[in-house]
């Protein structure tokens, strides 16, 4: 069975992706900081008959990243790495004049540095896979200038560039940055708690991600709306 590592997998998009991949027979290594929520997700996913290794921890911890890849190796390798773990930098989001520099550093560490660290750790197994792929969950804030989203958007823009260069350097892999669009997630609620407008559930955009795996288009940046249109 193919094996995927998914970070930030206890809730939201990460959990929805885990459930969808498990439904397709993937074995999974799941990461999140919250041990209780991660265990609940792992139990739900395991009920679909897949093998799951759930490792609570922080992706900024190099030892934890090594544990994730080692767990994937024990399951057979790494065919897909999904970097979904994200940090806002401030909760709720604030204008740049108020953005704590430690918060910005945290966003860069989680959204960017940890992504590269995990890729570096997993590269030998990704290269050995017949269909190795990396998915970096990006944001429209990486490409658009929204008030208060400066620190988070900058970290995601840097992630987009890192992924683009990785795609050039690793032509044997598929490397995709994906903007999932608006979703009803805890991250968004923490970012803009006063915004109560209804948003799609994360599971609604999962077919777009699955389309990437099915069709394996060229490495690059993709938006969920276009992927979903093609998936219907």
């Amino acid at each position: 069975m193919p094996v995927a590592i998914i970070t930030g997998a206890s809730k939201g998009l990460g959990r929805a992706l885990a459930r969808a991949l498990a439904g397709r027979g993937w074995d999974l290594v799941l990461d999140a900081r919250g041990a209780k929520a991660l265990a609940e997700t792992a139990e739900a996913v395991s009920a679909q008959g897949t093998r799951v290794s759930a490792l609570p921890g922080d992706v900024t911890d190099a030892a934890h990243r090594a544990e994730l890849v080692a767990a994937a190796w024990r399951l057979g390798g790494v065919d897909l790495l999904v970097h979904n773990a994200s940090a806002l930098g401030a909760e709720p989001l604030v204008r740049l004049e108020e953005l704590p520099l430690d918060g910005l550093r945290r966003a860069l560490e989680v959204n960017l540095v940890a992504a590269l660290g995990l890729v570096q750790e997993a590269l030998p197994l990704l290269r050995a896979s017949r269909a190795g792929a990396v998915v970096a969950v990006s944001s429209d804030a990486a490409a658009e200038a929204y008030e208060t989203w400066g620190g988070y958007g900058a970290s995601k823009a840097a992630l987009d560039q890192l992924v683009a260069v990785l795609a050039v350097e690793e032509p044997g892999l598929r490397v995709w940055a994906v903007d999932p669009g608006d979703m009803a997630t805890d991250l968004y609620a923490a970012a803009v708690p006063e915004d109560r407008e209804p948003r799609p559930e994360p599971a609604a955009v999962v077919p777009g991600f699955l389309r990437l795996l099915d069709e394996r288009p060229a490495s690059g940046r993709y938006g969920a709306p276009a992927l979903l249109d093609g998936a219907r």
Side-chain angles (χ1 to χ4, degrees), residues 66-131:
E67 289 176 351
L68 294 173
V69 175
W73 178 80
R74 289 192 291 272
L75 291 175
V78 180
D79 302 287
L80 172 65
L81 171 59
V82 180
H83 183 64
N84 175 62
S86 294
L88 289 165
E91 300 180 9
L93 293 174
V94 295
R95 292 166 58 88
L96 288 174
E97 65 180 347
E98 305 170 40
L99 180 62
L101 296 185
D102 284 346
L104 177 59
R105 291 189 186 97
R106 173 68 182 169
L108 290 168
E109 282 289 333
V110 174
N111 303 346
L112 180 67
V113 179
L116 178 57
L118 193 51
V119 165
Q120 290 174 336
E121 190 75 33
L123 259 181
L125 296 180
L126 285 166
R127 289 169 177 154
S129 169
R130 289 187 298 176

Side-chain angles (χ1 to χ4, degrees), residues 40-67:
E40 291 170 353
T41 294
E43 181 178 359
V45 172
S46 297
Q48 296 176 256
T50 190
R51 294 184 296 169
V52 179
S53 181
L55 299 174
D58 192 321
V59 290
T60 65
D61 180 351
H64 176 60
R65 294 195 298 266
E67 289 176 351

Side-chain angles (χ1 to χ4, degrees), residues 11-232:
K11 296 181 287 187
L13 178 60
R15 178 184 170 115
L17 284 170
R19 296 191 70 136
L21 291 176
R24 288 180 161 214
W26 286 65
D27 292 326
L28 301 171
V29 176
L30 305 180
D31 148 272
R33 285 188 299 159
K36 183 173 183 294
L38 183 62
E40 291 170 353
T41 294
E43 181 178 359
V45 172
S46 297
Q48 296 176 256
T50 190
R51 294 184 296 169
V52 179
S53 181
L55 299 174
D58 192 321
V59 290
T60 65
D61 180 351
H64 176 60
R65 294 195 298 266
E67 289 176 351
L68 294 173
V69 175
W73 178 80
R74 289 192 291 272
L75 291 175
V78 180
D79 302 287
L80 172 65
L81 171 59
V82 180
H83 183 64
N84 175 62
S86 294
L88 289 165
E91 300 180 9
L93 293 174
V94 295
R95 292 166 58 88
L96 288 174
E97 65 180 347
E98 305 170 40
L99 180 62
L101 296 185
D102 284 346
L104 177 59
R105 291 189 186 97
R106 173 68 182 169
L108 290 168
E109 282 289 333
V110 174
N111 303 346
L112 180 67
V113 179
L116 178 57
L118 193 51
V119 165
Q120 290 174 336
E121 190 75 33
L123 259 181
L125 296 180
L126 285 166
R127 289 169 177 154
S129 169
R130 289 187 298 176
V134 175
V135 172
V137 177
S138 185
S139 167
D140 58 348
E144 301 289 339
Y146 300 124
E147 185 176 1
T148 74
W149 289 83
Y152 178 81
S155 70
K156 290 293 187 178
L159 177 63
D160 283 357
Q161 179 65 5
L162 185 148
V163 165
V165 173
L166 178 66
V168 172
E169 294 179 348
E170 298 292 338
L173 305 179
R174 287 292 187 271
V175 186
W176 302 300
V178 182
D179 170 11
D182 281 351
M183 297 181 294
T185 63
D186 288 355
L187 185 89
Y188 188 85
V192 194
E194 71 275 13
D195 185 350
R196 305 294 177 87
E197 291 293 321
R199 285 179 162 71
E201 292 297 321
V205 303
V206 166
F209 286 79
L210 297 180
R211 184 187 174 201
L212 286 175
L213 299 176
D214 290 340
E215 299 182 7
R216 295 183 62 80
S219 298
R221 190 178 194 277
Y222 292 83
L227 291 170
L228 289 170
D229 284 346
R232 292 190 182 106

